[in-house]
């Protein structure tokens, strides 16, 4: 793993983090979701999210650039987001973000971390399983913000 810095989000991170998140979304989710859903999401969606819950977001920096972000959107034990910009994949950033979010979850008093991923997202599923997450359930789930049903895999890890 190259040097990766994980830190809390700052207001000046919004644009670069939104760009990183959206590029990751396009690569990982774009091919899976229906076209009408792809058209709903843009960099502004990520910027709005980051601005809405900055205290729940961690930023990953690599080589002085924002390379990704992770979040526990509701401040609980659910990891809602892990996004690594495609040009920074393969450098341990996703792993570092998950581990940092797990540390936050433990500090909040939880003993289990939870995550949900699209069942077709093999790369993400592989990462989470490698990090010790185990299957809780699989099924079709309506995602309100995406306005569609998607096959979803829910995973958990005892911390």
């Amino acid at each position: 793993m190259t040097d990766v810095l994980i830190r809390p989000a700052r207001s000046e991170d919004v644009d670069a983090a939104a760009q990183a998140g959206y590029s990751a979304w396009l690569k990982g989710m774009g091919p899976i979701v229906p076209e009408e859903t792809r058209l709903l999401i843009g960099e502004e969606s990520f910027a709005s999210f980051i601005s809405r819950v900055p205290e729940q977001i961690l930023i990953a920096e690599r080589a002085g650039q924002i390379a990704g972000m992770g979040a526990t959107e509701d401040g609980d034990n659910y990891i809602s987001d892990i996004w690594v910009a495609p040009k920074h994949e393969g450098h341990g950033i996703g792993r570092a973000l998950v581990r940092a979010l797990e540390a936050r979850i433990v500090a909040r008093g939880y003993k289990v971390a939870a995550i949900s991923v699209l069942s077709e997202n093999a790369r993400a599923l592989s990462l989470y399983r490698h990090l010790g997450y185990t299957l809780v359930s699989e099924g079709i789930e309506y995602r309100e913000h995406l306005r569609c049903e998607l096959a979803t895999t829910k995973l958990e890890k005892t911390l």
Side-chain angles (χ1 to χ4, degrees):
M1 175 168 82
T2 58
D3 288 333
V4 176
L5 170 68
I6 306 295
R7 61 169 176 77
R10 299 186 295 244
S11 58
E12 61 267 21
D13 296 330
V14 172
D15 291 342
Q19 193 173 54
Y22 181 59
S23 66
W25 189 90
L26 278 176
K27 181 178 179 189
M29 301 272 293
I32 299 170
V33 300
E35 183 177 352
E36 8 354 309
T37 299
R38 269 193 312 280
L39 299 174
L40 292 173
I41 304 297
E43 274 187 42
E44 65 281 351
S45 306
F46 282 85
S48 174
F49 172 68
I50 296 162
S51 297
R52 185 171 47 85
V53 292
E55 69 283 355
Q56 300 304 332
I57 296 175
L58 293 176
I59 297 295
E61 285 186 13
R62 177 175 165 261
Q65 296 181 328
I66 292 181
M69 58 181 268
T72 50
E73 182 175 359
D74 295 324
D76 55 12
N77 69 325
Y78 178 71
I79 298 173
S80 60
D81 295 85
I82 296 289
W83 302 108
V84 177
K87 70 179 185 177
H88 294 284
E89 288 179 349
H91 296 280
I93 294 165
R95 178 175 55 248
L97 282 166
V98 170
R99 287 190 173 142
L101 289 168
E102 289 171 349
R104 278 188 162 191
I105 289 166
V106 167
R108 293 177 182 144
Y110 293 97
K111 298 191 182 321
V112 173
I115 196 162
S116 181
V117 63
L118 295 189
S119 299
E120 291 182 53
N121 191 341
R123 187 174 174 93
L125 277 170
S126 176
L127 170 66
Y128 304 138
R129 287 189 171 128
H130 177 75
L131 292 176
Y133 285 77
T134 58
L135 178 68
V136 172
S137 66
E138 294 177 300
I140 303 296
E141 181 179 295
Y142 183 77
R143 296 280 180 106
E144 182 67 38
H145 69 289
L146 298 175
R147 300 182 194 157
C148 67
E149 289 184 339
L150 296 164
T152 304
T153 300
K154 295 182 181 183
L155 305 156
E156 287 184 351
K157 177 182 176 181
T158 301
L159 303 172

